[in-house]
């Protein structure tokens, strides 16, 4: 018997404005993370396209797509995926070093970003020496290292306690407002959803509902 084909997403048509905070909600298994991975070029769809600033993402070959992701998109996941053997400063600088930027320039920018997320006193601490909330702040700083056009986050506070979650939500909100940063967030957290400019609810691989709130001109 041949393998059956399961269509996770079914005709999603979505436009995201520059500087917008967009939250994606819905029950488990409806395709939220799949949509985020396709938007970020991590998964190739069987059909359709993603266009970011006039670049048709999936027209790029694998090498060009990897370079585009590194330069254009920042990712923050539920589990921070920090490298345990490196300090906070080294972890944040890593995307710049991978992108062959000068080492001194990378570390200077990494220090500035860590100060922006209130971790200026934790530069030389390794992940095991940081709290869960601090680790996620390092992950956000790392995601911002190459000045991405879009920040994609998948349940960023799902592994944190209430206080750390609220602190991270405030950080993401302020990041969008101060830097006009486009942020797409997959979450079950209603507090985080209320901070968004727009909320879309997925069900059965489709957009079931769209709610506009906190819209900026």
């Amino acid at each position: 018997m041949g393998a059956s084909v399961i269509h996770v997403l079914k005709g999603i048509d979505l436009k995201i404005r520059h500087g917008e905070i967009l939250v994606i909600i819905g029950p488990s298994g409806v395709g939220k993370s799949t949509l985020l991975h396709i938007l970020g070029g991590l998964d190739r769809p069987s059909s359709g396209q993603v266009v970011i600033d006039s670049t048709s993402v999936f027209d790029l070959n694998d090498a060009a797509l990897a370079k585009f992701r590194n330069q254009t998109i920042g990712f923050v996941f539920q589990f921070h995926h920090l490298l345990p053997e490196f300090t906070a400063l080294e972890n944040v600088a890593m995307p710049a070093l991978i992108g062959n930027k000068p080492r001194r320039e990378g570390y200077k920018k990494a220090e500035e970003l860590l100060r922006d997320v209130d971790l200026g006193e934790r530069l030389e601490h390794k992940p095991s020496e940081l709290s869960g909330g601090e680790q996620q702040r390092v992950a956000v700083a790392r995601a911002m290292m190459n000045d991405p056009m879009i920040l994609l986050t998948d349940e960023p506070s799902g592994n944190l306690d209430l206080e750390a979650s609220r602190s991270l939500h405030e950080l993401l909100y302020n990041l969008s407002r101060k830097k006009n940063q486009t942020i797409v967030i997959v979450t079950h957290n209603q507090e985080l959803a209320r901070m968004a400019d727009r909320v879309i609810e997925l069900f059965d691989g489709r957009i079931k509902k769209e709610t506009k709130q906190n819209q900026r001109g």
Side-chain angles (χ1 to χ4, degrees):
M1 294 178 63
S4 61
V5 176
I6 299 174
H7 295 282
V8 179
L9 299 176
K10 306 167 185 176
I12 298 288
D13 186 4
L14 178 64
K15 293 182 179 180
I16 303 170
R17 298 188 312 157
H18 178 65
E20 181 178 25
I21 302 177
L22 174 70
V23 162
I24 303 170
I25 62 173
S28 297
V30 297
K32 300 187 302 297
S33 293
T34 299
L35 176 57
L36 201 72
H37 290 179
I38 289 174
L39 291 176
L42 294 174
D43 293 338
R44 289 182 180 268
S46 56
S47 63
Q49 61 179 336
V50 172
V51 178
I52 299 176
D53 195 31
S54 77
T55 296
S56 184
V57 173
F58 296 111
D59 287 343
L60 303 174
N61 62 34
D62 288 346
L65 178 56
K67 182 178 180 181
F68 182 82
R69 277 198 308 264
N70 179 262
Q71 295 177 343
T72 310
I73 303 169
F75 297 93
V76 180
F77 299 103
Q78 179 175 353
F79 300 99
H80 51 75
H81 299 298
L82 300 177
L83 299 172
E85 66 272 29
F86 294 107
T87 65
L89 185 67
E90 291 167 333
N91 267 286
V92 173
M94 198 64 65
L97 302 181
I98 291 172
N100 294 316
K101 292 184 179 178
R103 186 180 180 89
R104 180 178 295 180
E105 177 185 320
Y107 279 106
K108 180 181 179 182
K109 176 74 174 294
E111 181 174 347
E112 291 172 357
L113 286 167
L114 283 167
R115 295 193 187 284
D116 285 345
V117 299
D118 296 326
L119 289 176
E121 305 303 317
R122 311 287 270 171
L123 303 178
E124 300 302 324
H125 288 69
K126 292 184 177 180
S128 62
E129 301 171 309
L130 301 173
S131 69
E134 288 172 336
Q135 290 171 356
Q136 276 297 63
R137 284 173 173 266
V138 173
V140 170
R142 178 182 60 186
M144 295 298 297
M145 185 65 214
N146 287 342
D147 296 315
M149 187 176 299
I150 303 172
L151 184 63
L152 302 178
T153 73
D154 195 351
E155 294 287 2
S157 58
N159 219 27
L160 303 179
D161 62 30
L162 183 60
E163 183 178 352
S165 293
R166 286 178 173 167
S167 180
L168 182 66
H169 298 167
E170 184 178 341
L171 171 64
L172 292 171
Y173 182 87
N174 289 338
L175 189 65
S176 176
R177 279 12 185 190
K178 291 178 181 178
K179 296 181 179 292
N180 202 28
Q181 177 68 51
T182 306
I183 304 179
V184 181
I185 306 169
V186 164
T187 187
H188 286 95
N189 189 293
Q190 291 302 312
E191 180 185 79
L192 185 50
R194 284 192 292 271
M195 290 182 169
D197 298 310
R198 185 161 50 117
V199 178
I200 62 170
E201 181 180 354
L202 293 190
F203 186 77
D204 192 28
R206 296 180 171 89
I207 295 177
K208 176 183 177 182
K209 182 180 179 182
E210 178 177 331
T211 305
K212 295 181 179 180
Q213 53 190 34
N214 306 324
Q215 282 284 346
R216 290 167 282 180

